[in-house]
Amino acid sequence: QVQLVESGGGLVQAGGSLRLSCAASGRTFSIYTMGWFRQAPGKEREFVVAISWIGGFTSYADSVKGRFTISRDSAKNTMYLQMNSLKPEDTAVYYCAAKAGSSSPWGYWGQGTQVTVSS
């Protein structure tokens, strides 16, 4: 099992920045990819960005390209999401997720952290 704990959410004005962290513990050697998803009120959970644990290959949703940056510190088993130029539509609960293989489902999830962007 892998446990994921997010931190760093909060309230910020439009145009501001926040940095989210996701600390992994447990069977971290089994992690192949980690990522961030978000869910706004009344909407389905959506993919934001992912990073491969080996190699650091990244994939971004079009809505956050150029504004969000994902990174990871393998030694600390921690993933980060730097969010710049935040918009009110970025308001959501952000979830950290992990999977054990390229074709595996996102089987591990954090509890989520609230990000609220005021206009």
Side-chain angles (χ1 to χ4, degrees), residues 32-113:
Y32 182 85
T33 303
M34 291 188 71
W36 292 95
F37 290 73
R38 66 187 182 186
Q39 187 166 18
K43 295 187 177 181
E44 294 187 352
R45 189 174 299 186
E46 65 174 0
F47 169 80
V48 177
V49 59
I51 186 167
S52 63
W53 212 239
I54 305 298
F57 301 105
T58 59
S59 176
Y60 290 86
D62 288 342
S63 59
V64 305
K65 281 181 180 177
R67 300 188 298 121
F68 291 10
T69 303
I70 191 172
S71 62
R72 88 269 191 253
D73 184 332
S74 300
K76 296 182 178 180
N77 292 320
T78 301
M79 175 179 65
Y80 305 97
L81 181 64
Q82 179 66 43
M83 304 185 293
N84 298 329
S85 301
L86 282 162
K87 305 175 181 180
E89 51 263 44
D90 294 318
T91 295
V93 177
Y94 283 70
Y95 296 92
C96 170
K99 57 180 180 177
S102 60
S103 58
S104 299
W106 293 95
Y108 304 105
W109 293 87
Q111 80 286 355
T113 185

Side-chain angles (χ1 to χ4, degrees), residues 17-30:
S17 300
L18 279 176
R19 188 194 195 205
L20 305 183
S21 299
C22 175
S25 61
R27 297 171 61 90
T28 56
F29 60 84
S30 67

